[in-house]
Amino acid sequence: MNPSLVCLCFVLISWRLAAAACSDIEVRLNMLEQQLKQGYRLNELPKLQRQQRLLSSRLQNCLDQQQAKSVQSKNTPPAKSGDLSQLAKGRAFSSSHLLLTAPYQGEQQQAWLKFYREPAQCYGVRDTAQIAWCAELRQQAKLQFDRQWQQKLAKSPPK
């Protein structure tokens, strides 16, 4: 049997085993996150958060090791920790990114932050009716802020 073929088979088998290990960690992390969303006792929170951090760290390490093996199997030097171009290549699991945008920018954002303060009863809410009330309150405040902002723009001279 061709030695390069044997090597290729070994790489594929080890890659699949690593992918299975990463998948197992990912499944456990998803189950823990579901538990966090569904509810828990307040005294359980620190333990659950520690488990979440541990599993997230293990998953990232597993994916990094898998990435390093994939890169090494292609006879290229392993990616440096800060080299994002190499990180995207060869990763077995899809990754997503989170884009956070604010409804306002610049001066308008600063004005909004001064204008609206979330009521204390809207923090850490799990009751659907309370969430709806908070969202409605925020929407009404946003409409009022937009009207006031437009009036301010209409009164101010152009720059």
Side-chain angles (χ1 to χ4, degrees):
M1 184 175 253
N2 187 346
S4 63
L5 184 59
V6 171
C7 181
L8 179 63
C9 288
F10 177 74
V11 167
L12 289 175
I13 290 171
S14 63
W15 178 79
R16 283 186 176 241
L17 289 174
C22 292
S23 294
D24 180 51
I25 295 169
E26 188 173 27
V27 166
R28 290 174 31 209
L29 180 60
N30 287 338
M31 288 173 47
L32 179 64
E33 288 173 348
Q34 284 298 319
Q35 183 181 357
L36 285 168
K37 289 178 185 174
Q38 290 175 354
Y40 48 86
R41 292 191 177 126
L42 191 58
N43 62 352
E44 295 174 329
L45 182 61
K47 178 184 173 187
L48 294 172
Q49 287 175 329
R50 278 193 308 274
Q51 289 176 343
Q52 184 181 26
R53 283 191 304 269
L54 179 65
L55 287 172
S56 293
S57 163
R58 284 184 181 171
L59 180 60
Q60 189 59 49
N61 289 340
C62 184
L63 293 174
D64 290 344
Q65 288 174 357
Q66 188 175 348
Q67 169 67 22
K69 287 178 184 178
S70 173
V71 170
Q72 286 174 352
S73 70
K74 294 177 184 175
N75 295 327
T76 58
K80 297 176 186 165
S81 62
D83 188 4
L84 295 178
S85 64
Q86 289 296 321
L87 187 62
K89 295 179 183 175
R91 183 165 261 183
F93 293 101
S94 63
S95 61
S96 61
H97 66 281
L98 179 63
L99 177 62
L100 297 176
T101 58
Y104 307 110
Q105 302 294 320
E107 183 184 342
Q108 190 176 14
Q109 174 69 10
Q110 294 302 317
W112 167 251
L113 293 173
K114 289 178 184 175
F115 177 81
Y116 182 72
R117 294 282 182 236
E118 190 84 20
Q121 62 264 35
C122 292
Y123 289 104
V125 177
R126 292 185 177 264
D127 177 46
T128 307
Q130 186 72 16
I131 292 170
W133 179 81
C134 293
E136 180 65 28
L137 185 69
R138 188 180 314 109
Q139 184 63 29
Q140 289 173 1
K142 187 175 181 296
L143 291 172
Q144 183 181 0
F145 173 78
D146 287 340
R147 280 191 299 270
Q148 289 179 4
W149 185 260
Q150 290 303 322
Q151 289 172 356
K152 177 187 172 193
L153 289 179
K155 291 179 184 176
S156 65
K159 292 182 180 180

